[in-house]
Amino acid sequence: MRYLILLDGTPPEGPPPPELMEAISVLGAEATSSGAMLDTAGLAPSAFGARVDLTGGAITVADGPFAEAKELISYALYEVRSKEEAVEWANRFLQVHQQHWPAWEGGARVLKLFGPEDFAAMS
């Protein structure tokens, strides 16, 4: 089953420490070589994006930035056996931040993607 992990946070001033980037690289290589991580990328600040809404029969478009205090920073797409496994990968990613960039604060949303097995169970 596939899970999308969205990382949000408010980074401290300055670039991330090189030790953090190295630890992220090592963790990403492990996740990729195990077959768990399918894709990942950093996300540009919301000022570069837009939001498209359908409300009351009307479609509106609002350019970023958005008012949320935290920015979505990155995503990772995983193919894992369970939600617990996806949560473990997210936990390890946050532990790397905790260890190498203690001033960083944020979170990871672990979202299950529907697959054919889910639709078969509904019918």
Side-chain angles (χ1 to χ4, degrees):
M1 58 189 71
R2 290 186 176 192
Y3 282 87
L4 179 66
I5 298 177
L6 295 173
L7 183 70
D8 62 38
T10 307
E13 291 292 323
E19 298 82 9
L20 173 66
M21 301 313 293
E22 175 61 25
I24 289 173
S25 178
V26 169
L27 182 60
E30 179 185 343
T32 300
S33 67
S34 74
M37 188 163 64
L38 304 176
D39 190 30
T40 187
L43 300 173
S46 66
F48 296 97
R51 180 179 173 100
V52 182
D53 288 307
L54 171 60
T55 305
I59 296 175
T60 58
V61 178
D63 288 331
F66 306 114
E68 294 89 3
K70 295 180 178 180
E71 287 276 350
L72 289 176
I73 297 170
S74 66
Y75 78 91
L77 180 61
Y78 284 86
E79 177 76 42
V80 291
R81 292 173 294 246
S82 66
K83 180 178 87 175
E84 290 74 20
E85 189 177 342
V87 168
E88 177 60 24
W89 283 110
N91 193 2
R92 291 179 64 185
F93 192 78
L94 291 182
Q95 286 174 0
V96 165
H97 281 73
Q98 182 183 42
Q99 180 179 4
H100 297 290
W101 205 6
W104 186 90
E105 293 185 351
R109 294 181 230 174
V110 179
L111 305 170
K112 184 179 185 311
L113 302 180
F114 278 130
E117 70 280 1
D118 297 306
F119 294 110
M122 292 180 190
S123 56

